[in-house]
Amino acid sequence: MKAYDGMYIGGAWRPAAGQDVIEVVNPVDEQVIGTVPAGTAEDVDTAVRASRAALPEWAATPPAERAARLAALRDVLVARADEIAETVTAELGSPLKFSQAVHAAVPIAVAGSYAELAATYAFEEKTGNSVVHHEPVGVVAAITPWNY
């Protein structure tokens, strides 16, 4: 059983603000396969502050370097695709082939497409005698659906 007692925020593992945990249960045999901290509003605030602090550096990062970082993320996902699929299958009970084709493969494809977009996107457009410059402008905290 894997037990995580921290959250990855601001490039480092740190303790969760609260003590509550969520048990991760394998729906096939109803065995607890892990625990994760139950995030709190304080944890979200900490993550948003860390993201806001990182924004100026990220905004100043050249698009080619952003593309390289996204490509590196894609490569790590490729290297761990089997582990990701097996973990998702244990957590959700989905067939392994589905986990491989969707839960592991789609993030790989998305990271790859974002890397390509970062490398090719026109961050600057000339319109007549004006220039429109596209840049990162803010941080978003989002709660995503359990299955994606």
Side-chain angles (χ1 to χ4, degrees), residues 11-126:
W13 287 99
R14 39 178 90 201
Q19 298 299 315
D20 292 341
V21 296
I22 298 170
E23 291 184 336
V24 180
V25 177
N26 183 326
V28 173
D29 59 14
E30 298 184 346
Q31 296 297 309
V32 175
I33 59 172
T35 60
V36 296
T40 66
E42 185 178 339
D43 293 314
V44 173
D45 290 344
T46 300
V48 170
R49 279 192 305 275
S51 295
R52 281 191 182 130
L55 182 62
E57 181 181 343
W58 181 250
T61 302
E65 187 176 336
R66 291 186 207 174
R69 290 183 188 186
L70 290 165
L73 170 62
R74 178 206 54 223
D75 295 345
V76 169
L77 292 172
V78 167
R80 296 183 67 183
D82 289 340
E83 176 188 356
I84 291 166
E86 290 167 8
T87 300
V88 169
T89 291
E91 180 183 359
L92 300 181
S94 64
L96 183 58
K97 283 189 180 251
F98 184 79
S99 293
Q100 291 166 332
V102 176
H103 296 289
V106 170
I108 291 167
V110 169
S113 68
Y114 287 170
E116 183 179 332
L117 183 61
T120 61
Y121 184 76
F123 287 94
E124 222 174 70
E125 294 178 58
K126 293 187 180 195

